[in-house]
């Protein structure tokens, strides 16, 4: 789940914002307190809606002045028409979802493209912790194994091998390290956060 | 001229206000009442401790609709029986109560009458128009009839129209009244009686539909007034006692003809009708920002109905927030204090206040 204003979160927002067309229609799934959406409204003048299930976060999002819709992502986006948004964002929420494949398919249906970000489980510090015999904890994954909402953690390679299966094509990828710096060499080892821009494999007419 | 094609040459609207209208006249909030509400939204009348307004938990100093910030208007709708012109008022043409000759009024008529009140108070644009249930429908109608006269529409526990089941409930309630021997075709005023039994039954039925099964079980269970069953038709279960009490209380304060036309107004409400049933097309006129709220256990106006409104607003790219409040209270939840509900209302109305032209 998205942590408000953690450094890692802000790092993915900056990158993500640059991929968003100014004045486009954006749907932010799992929008938390709405800060990303507000950032996009201010910097890209998007018209956006956020979806959030947690009552306290809905209240924070309302307070932050964004359009927030209280809905359960796990039951899909059935209220939304095909391609009704330019971009559908799933920022650091994928790993906490039960119906991983279903939501990715929904993103590709409702959006002309999707932006998906998640903590890279393949990051070397995570691997070290597992080698040391414990479940990893980090800035991007600050939870204990017994109270984590994260149930579907994955690595860059895992995600990329899922994409063809759900009919997604990776258009752009940015991997960033723990200081928010872009990582190009050995990203699956050195990157702590992954940001993918995906589109349906066959562009619908 | 009313929606039904009949004229109403003059009418009174009774209203109450709370708080102070600012110099820009921009901080006014109109509260629309539901089926049996009145203009008395908040506070108590002096010396009458039991006279608390019907939405007193929502409206007042420091409450979500903060009367230290907003100028709040409560109005009794046209056709009502709490001071505004309605079936129990004297028809100036005949010197007798209108009774069954009072014209049918619609949500649209109410909105137009409320707009005249706004004109009278020199309010060009409301900060918000809000209401629950039938009141929410008025807020929605405001956004269509006068798109530039409200900045926010707050639509709570409402629906874009009534389902067949809902109309069915209303029809049973109306039949209870019109088949009461004391109804006299609606001319009961002259007979010095009221169709009390009919009103009681109508209200009892209404109350069952306003609560959820769970809420009723929680509140009354199968509890008996006495220790053991009496094997009689007298009041035995707590729920019977509650319903009879509510029915009686209501029959003492509410006019039967008003009840009939208010329920018809509910049945007729359908802003999508002129657009081939397409709510999205109907809402293309709207300009306001919206807050839509529903309650999980409300089966009279279920969350699915609120999501229809939401979908139509999204189709038009309108600014909207939607809260689906977890509650076991049924339709009545919109009148109850619930932490999640009130937190959303506080947050949204803070936004309404911050967005006022002077702020």
């Amino acid at each position: 789940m998205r942590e408000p204003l953690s450094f890692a979160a802000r790092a993915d927002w900056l990158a993500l914002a640059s991929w968003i067309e100014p004045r486009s229609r954006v749907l932010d799934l799992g929008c938390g307190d709405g800060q990303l959406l507000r950032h996009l409204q201010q910097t890209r003048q998007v018209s956006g809606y956020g979806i959030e299930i947690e009552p306290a976060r809905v209240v924070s999002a309302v307070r932050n002045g964004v359009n927030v819709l209280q809905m359960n992502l796990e039951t899909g986006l059935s209220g939304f028409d095909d391609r009704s948004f330019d971009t559908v964002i799933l920022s650091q929420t994928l790993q906490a979802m039960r119906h991983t494949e279903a939501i990715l398919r929904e993103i590709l249906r409702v959006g002309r493209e999707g932006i998906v970000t998640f903590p890279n489980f393949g990051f070397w510090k995570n691997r070290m912790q597992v080698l040391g015999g414990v479940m990893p904890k980090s800035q991007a994954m600050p939870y204990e194994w017994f109270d984590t909402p994260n149930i579907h953690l994955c690595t860059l390679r895992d995600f990329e091998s899922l994409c063809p299966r759900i009919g997604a094509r990776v258009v752009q990828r940015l991997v960033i390290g723990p200081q928010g710096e872009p990582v190009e060499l050995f990203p699956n080892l050195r990157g702590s956060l992954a940001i993918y821009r995906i589109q349906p494999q066959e562009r619908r007419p | 001229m009313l929606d039904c094609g009949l004229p109403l040459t003059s009418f009174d609207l009774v209203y109450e206000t709370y708080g102070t209208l600012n110099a820009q006249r921009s901080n006014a909030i109109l509260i629309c009442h539901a089926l049996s509400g009145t203009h008395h939204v908040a506070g108590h009348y002096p010396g009458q401790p039991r006279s608390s307004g019907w939405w007193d938990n929502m409206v007042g100093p420091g409450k979500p609709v903060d009367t230290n910030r907003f100028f709040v208007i409560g109005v009794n709708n046209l056709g009502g029986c709490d001071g505004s012109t309605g079936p129990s008022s004297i028809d100036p043409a005949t010197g007798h109560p209108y009774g069954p000759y009072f014209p049918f009024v619609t949500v649209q008529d109410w909105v137009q009458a409320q707009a005249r009140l706004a004109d009278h108070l020199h309010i060009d644009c409301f900060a918000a128009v809000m209401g629950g249930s039938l009141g929410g429908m008025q807020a929605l109608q405001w956004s269509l009839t006068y798109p530039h006269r409200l900045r926010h529409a707050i639509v709570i526990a409402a629906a874009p129209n009534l389902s067949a089941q809902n109309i069915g409930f209303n029809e049973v309630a109306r039949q209870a009244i019109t088949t009461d021997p004391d109804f006299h075709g609606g001319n009961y005023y002259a007979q010095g009686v009221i169709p009390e039994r009919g009103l009681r039954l109508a209200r009892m039925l209404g109350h069952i539909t306003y609560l959820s099964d769970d809420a009723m079980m929680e509140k009354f269970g199968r509890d008996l007034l006495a220790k053991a069953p009496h094997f009689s038709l007298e009041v035995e279960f707590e729920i019977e006692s509650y319903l009879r009490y509510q029915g009686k209380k209501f029959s003492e304060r509410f006019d039967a003809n008003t009840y009939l036309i208010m329920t018809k107004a509910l049945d007729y409400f359908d802003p999508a009708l002129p657009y081939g049933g397409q709510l999205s097309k109907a809402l293309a006129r709207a300009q306001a920002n919206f807050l839509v709220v529903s309650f999980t256990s409300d089966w009279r106006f279920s969350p699915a109905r609120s999501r229809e409104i939401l979908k139509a607003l999204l189709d038009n790219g309108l600014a909207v927030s939607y809260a689906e409040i977890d509650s076991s209270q049924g339709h009545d939840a919109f009148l109850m204090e619930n932490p999640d509900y009130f937190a959303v209302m506080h947050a949204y109305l803070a936004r309404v206040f911050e967005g006022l032209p002077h702020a």
Side-chain angles (χ1 to χ4, degrees):
Chain A
M1 287 287 151
R2 192 176 305 165
E3 291 300 296
L5 281 182
S6 79
F7 182 79
R10 277 193 294 186
D12 82 322
W13 293 0
L14 285 177
L16 193 154
S18 68
W19 292 353
I20 303 275
E21 283 283 312
R23 285 172 294 281
S24 61
R25 260 170 79 85
V26 173
L27 183 64
D28 182 9
L29 308 181
C31 71
D33 63 7
Q35 295 211 45
L36 169 60
L37 211 44
R38 192 165 74 164
H39 176 70
L40 293 176
Q41 280 172 359
Q42 285 164 356
T43 58
R44 313 300 282 178
Q45 291 78 46
V46 301
S47 90
Y49 301 89
I51 294 184
E52 179 56 57
I53 182 81
E54 197 57 45
R57 294 195 184 118
V58 170
V59 171
S60 304
V62 168
R63 195 169 291 129
N64 277 326
V66 302
N67 298 315
V68 58
L69 315 176
Q70 190 168 19
M71 289 182 183
N72 186 358
L73 288 181
E74 300 287 7
T75 55
L77 302 175
S78 56
F80 297 91
D81 291 335
D82 293 0
R83 306 190 78 186
S84 50
F85 285 88
D86 296 306
T87 309
V88 180
I89 298 169
L90 187 68
S91 165
Q92 303 201 50
T93 300
L94 182 72
Q95 75 281 359
M97 293 221 29
R98 259 172 74 80
H99 301 99
T100 316
E101 265 190 72
I103 195 64
L104 289 169
R105 286 181 205 277
E106 281 288 80
I107 288 172
L108 295 171
R109 178 182 70 80
V110 169
R112 294 150 63 87
E113 63 177 32
I115 296 176
V116 179
T117 84
F118 55 88
N120 174 27
F121 199 75
F123 180 50
W124 68 271
K125 280 189 176 170
N126 297 338
R127 299 189 195 201
M128 291 298 284
Q129 290 181 66
V130 172
L131 271 180
V134 293
M135 286 295 284
K137 260 178 75 178
S138 67
Q139 221 172 17
M141 302 186 299
Y143 302 97
E144 297 290 346
W145 67 271
F146 50 84
D147 70 357
T148 180
N150 297 334
I151 52 174
H152 281 143
L153 290 158
C154 68
T155 68
L156 306 193
R157 273 174 58 189
D158 291 329
F159 182 77
E160 283 168 29
S161 64
L162 175 65
C163 281
R165 191 182 145 113
I166 54 157
R169 166 171 86 87
V170 174
V171 183
Q172 213 169 347
R173 181 185 83 177
L174 180 71
V175 181
I176 54 184
Q179 306 305 315
E181 75 285 5
V183 174
E184 273 157 30
L185 198 63
F186 304 120
N188 201 27
L189 195 60
R190 295 179 55 234
S192 58
L193 195 67
I195 307 154
Y196 281 89
R197 186 173 177 182
I198 56 174
Q199 285 178 1
Q201 254 165 1
E202 285 165 58
R203 298 303 302 268
R204 283 162 285 187
Chain B
M1 184 65 76
L2 299 168
D3 247 5
C4 64
L6 293 175
L8 194 63
T9 43
S10 74
F11 60 87
D12 294 330
L13 276 190
V14 59
Y15 65 96
E16 279 183 16
T17 69
Y18 318 88
T20 312
L21 190 59
N22 64 13
Q24 296 81 1
R25 313 186 88 80
S26 66
N27 68 332
I29 291 186
L30 176 66
I31 308 276
C32 304
H33 68 72
L35 193 59
S36 61
T38 73
H39 52 290
H40 182 44
V41 172
H44 297 80
Y45 296 127
Q48 298 177 49
R50 290 169 64 87
S51 66
S52 119
W54 61 268
W55 222 356
D56 193 54
N57 55 12
M58 182 67 74
V59 180
K63 295 176 185 173
V65 182
D66 189 344
T67 49
N68 292 328
R69 295 174 152 190
F70 296 110
F71 177 66
V72 180
I73 303 166
V75 57
N76 184 216
N77 277 334
L78 186 60
C81 53
D82 287 282
S84 293
T85 301
S88 53
S89 313
I90 302 295
D91 179 354
T94 64
H96 298 291
Y98 286 96
Y101 309 109
F102 193 84
F104 284 96
V105 286
T106 62
V107 170
Q108 166 83 344
D109 291 328
W110 289 336
V111 167
Q112 276 168 353
Q114 290 158 1
R116 291 195 186 191
L117 174 61
D119 294 342
H120 171 74
L121 297 170
H122 304 290
I123 294 163
D124 292 334
C125 183
F126 284 108
V129 177
M130 65 187 277
S133 189
L134 179 54
M137 292 170 164
Q138 291 162 60
L140 185 62
Q141 185 67 52
W142 258 95
S143 73
L144 306 178
T145 308
Y146 299 106
H148 299 289
R149 295 195 72 176
L150 71 166
R151 277 186 290 277
H152 295 267
I154 302 179
V155 179
I156 304 166
N161 59 24
L162 289 200
S163 66
Q165 187 194 46
N166 264 316
I167 296 172
F169 283 127
N170 282 346
E171 175 56 7
V172 174
R174 284 190 294 264
Q175 287 283 316
I177 291 169
T178 57
T179 59
D180 185 322
D182 285 337
F183 183 62
H184 297 289
N187 290 304
Y188 47 85
Y189 314 99
Q191 314 286 327
V193 293
I194 54 165
E196 191 193 329
R197 281 159 294 180
L199 268 170
R200 285 186 186 191
L201 287 177
R203 190 57 168 179
M204 286 168 80
L205 174 68
H207 264 283
I208 297 171
T209 70
Y210 303 151
L211 294 173
S212 69
D213 194 12
D214 285 350
M216 275 174 119
M217 254 338 248
E218 204 175 294
K219 199 166 169 184
F220 308 105
R222 297 183 42 82
D223 296 354
L224 294 163
L225 297 177
K227 284 200 172 72
H230 282 147
F231 300 101
S232 86
L233 295 176
E234 290 308 305
V235 174
E236 288 199 274
F237 289 92
E238 288 283 357
I239 179 64
E240 295 175 316
S241 164
Y242 170 80
L243 290 175
R244 287 194 194 194
Y245 171 74
Q246 290 294 340
K248 182 165 190 303
K249 203 172 71 170
F250 188 68
S251 70
E252 285 162 4
R253 79 165 180 92
F254 212 78
D255 177 59
N257 282 316
T258 286
Y259 196 82
L260 296 176
I261 62 171
M262 293 275 170
T263 56
K264 286 301 269 187
L266 259 171
D267 293 359
Y268 292 136
F269 179 70
D270 190 2
L273 189 65
Y275 301 89
Q278 296 185 59
L279 190 63
S280 298
K281 285 194 176 157
L283 280 168
R285 298 170 54 80
Q287 301 283 324
N289 301 299
F290 285 79
L291 173 65
V292 178
V293 181
S294 72
F295 300 90
T296 51
S297 60
D298 182 353
W299 55 279
R300 187 101 198 228
F301 291 164
S302 71
R305 302 310 313 276
S306 281
R307 285 197 296 262
E308 286 176 42
I309 298 173
L310 178 63
K311 169 79 168 60
L313 296 170
L314 288 172
D315 285 345
N316 286 293
L318 288 160
V320 54
S321 284
Y322 172 62
E324 196 168 298
I325 307 295
D326 195 12
S327 160
S328 65
Q329 308 278 3
H331 186 55
D332 263 355
F334 86 87
L335 294 167
M336 314 266 184
E337 204 160 334
N338 165 313
D340 291 343
Y341 172 36
F342 274 53
V344 168
M345 296 301 290
H346 261 297
Y348 194 83
L349 283 151
R351 234 165 98 176
V352 173
F353 182 70
E354 283 152 21
L356 290 181
H358 73 87

